[in-house]
Amino acid sequence: MAPYEALYGRRCRTPLCWSEVGERQLLGPEIVQLTTEKVQIIQQKLKEAQDRQKSYADLKRRPIEYDVGDRVFLKVSPWKGLLRFGKKGKLSPRFIGPYEVVERVGPVAYRLQLSQNLSNIHDVFHVSMLRRYRSDPNHIIQEQPIELSEDLSYKEEPVAILAREQKVLRNKTIPLVKVMWHRHSCEEATWEREEDMRQQYPHLFT
């Protein structure tokens, strides 16, 4: 029901028809009693809706626990115009870290070993703000020798042609090739114009 109906015991009408012939007027203790009953009904319906939503969420909910020594990511909230944890703007990372868990403060709170630049931040966080970090060897980037020019730039070298495609425009067709570059994985391959690649790297097409 609408808040007006819950408060006054009748449906809200336009100013052209505030009252009807024969409408029973509610005065004094009677309207207080009816309002109290309506409030109890509303509270009961809200409780039923909350319990129903909670039952859906509990099906996938699992208790999350961390041990001392585990490494976790810390969730940050980049608000517009507000600087949090040294990050600003909606494109800033949603998680920072990882940081080591040094103490379990309570059932759902943990103390983290933060870095020096976060020394002004309280080091105890709720478990909902933490995400487990699993060590992955792919996260370690091996240093590779790169020949840099005087302006600290380097030239990318293509390794292979992975695929071909033709981009059809209104009045012409442009052949494209998918190029895998040196020091990059297949996922980082880019689409380039075949004509340009033939002129710069003819050895790829022999």
Side-chain angles (χ1 to χ4, degrees), residues 140-146:
I140 303 176
I141 301 177
Q142 300 295 335
E143 182 180 357
Q144 299 181 1
I146 300 177

Side-chain angles (χ1 to χ4, degrees), residues 9 13 37 106 176-177 193:
R13 302 183 180 90
E37 294 176 355
L176 301 176
V177 291
R193 292 170 59 99

Side-chain angles (χ1 to χ4, degrees), residues 119-135:
S119 57
N120 59 333
I121 304 297
H122 196 271
D123 56 356
V124 177
F125 300 93
H126 190 267
V127 68
S128 62
M129 300 181 62
L130 307 178
R131 293 292 183 275
R132 186 181 303 276
Y133 170 72
R134 303 185 186 278
S135 180

Side-chain angles (χ1 to χ4, degrees), residues 13-188:
R13 302 183 180 90
T14 66
L16 299 178
C17 185
W18 282 115
S19 61
E20 295 181 355
V21 178
E23 182 180 14
R24 186 166 62 94
Q25 299 294 328
L26 299 177
L27 300 174
E30 186 177 2
I31 191 173
V32 174
Q33 179 181 357
L34 290 178
T35 302
T36 304
E37 294 176 355
K38 293 294 178 60
V39 170
Q40 293 177 352
I41 294 175
I42 293 173
Q43 292 176 344
Q44 179 183 355
K45 295 297 183 181
L46 288 175
K47 182 66 166 55
E48 293 176 359
Q50 292 173 354
D51 292 342
R52 184 168 58 252
Q53 295 296 330
K54 183 177 183 300
S55 65
Y56 298 152
D58 288 344
L59 294 177
K60 298 183 178 180
R61 182 171 296 167
R62 297 291 183 272
I64 301 176
E65 296 183 354
Y66 300 102
D67 298 326
V68 175
D70 290 348
R71 298 179 67 83
V72 295
F73 288 111
L74 177 61
K75 183 178 181 180
V76 294
S77 300
W79 291 359
K80 184 177 181 181
L82 183 65
L83 190 63
R84 287 286 184 91
F85 297 96
K87 306 293 182 181
K88 185 176 183 180
K90 64 180 182 180
L91 296 181
S92 60
R94 293 297 186 267
F95 293 91
I96 58 175
Y99 302 107
E100 183 179 351
V101 177
V102 296
E103 180 186 358
R104 182 169 183 173
V105 179
V108 292
Y110 294 87
R111 189 183 308 276
L112 303 184
Q113 182 66 43
L114 300 179
S115 56
Q116 186 64 28
N117 58 342
L118 299 180
S119 57
N120 59 333
I121 304 297
H122 196 271
D123 56 356
V124 177
F125 300 93
H126 190 267
V127 68
S128 62
M129 300 181 62
L130 307 178
R131 293 292 183 275
R132 186 181 303 276
Y133 170 72
R134 303 185 186 278
S135 180
D136 190 345
N138 294 330
H139 295 167
I140 303 176
I141 301 177
Q142 300 295 335
E143 182 180 357
Q144 299 181 1
I146 300 177
E147 296 182 1
L148 297 177
S149 60
E150 295 181 356
D151 58 353
L152 299 181
S153 63
Y154 67 95
K155 184 179 180 180
E156 290 281 10
E157 291 292 337
V159 177
I161 302 295
L162 302 180
R164 283 182 166 82
E165 185 179 282
Q166 289 188 347
K167 184 176 183 180
V168 180
L169 302 180
R170 180 176 299 178
N171 54 0
K172 63 179 180 179
T173 302
I174 302 177
L176 301 176
V177 291
K178 191 174 184 180
V179 183
M180 184 176 71
W181 301 89
H182 186 49
R183 306 186 192 91
H184 295 276
S185 62
C186 296
E187 290 78 8
E188 298 175 311

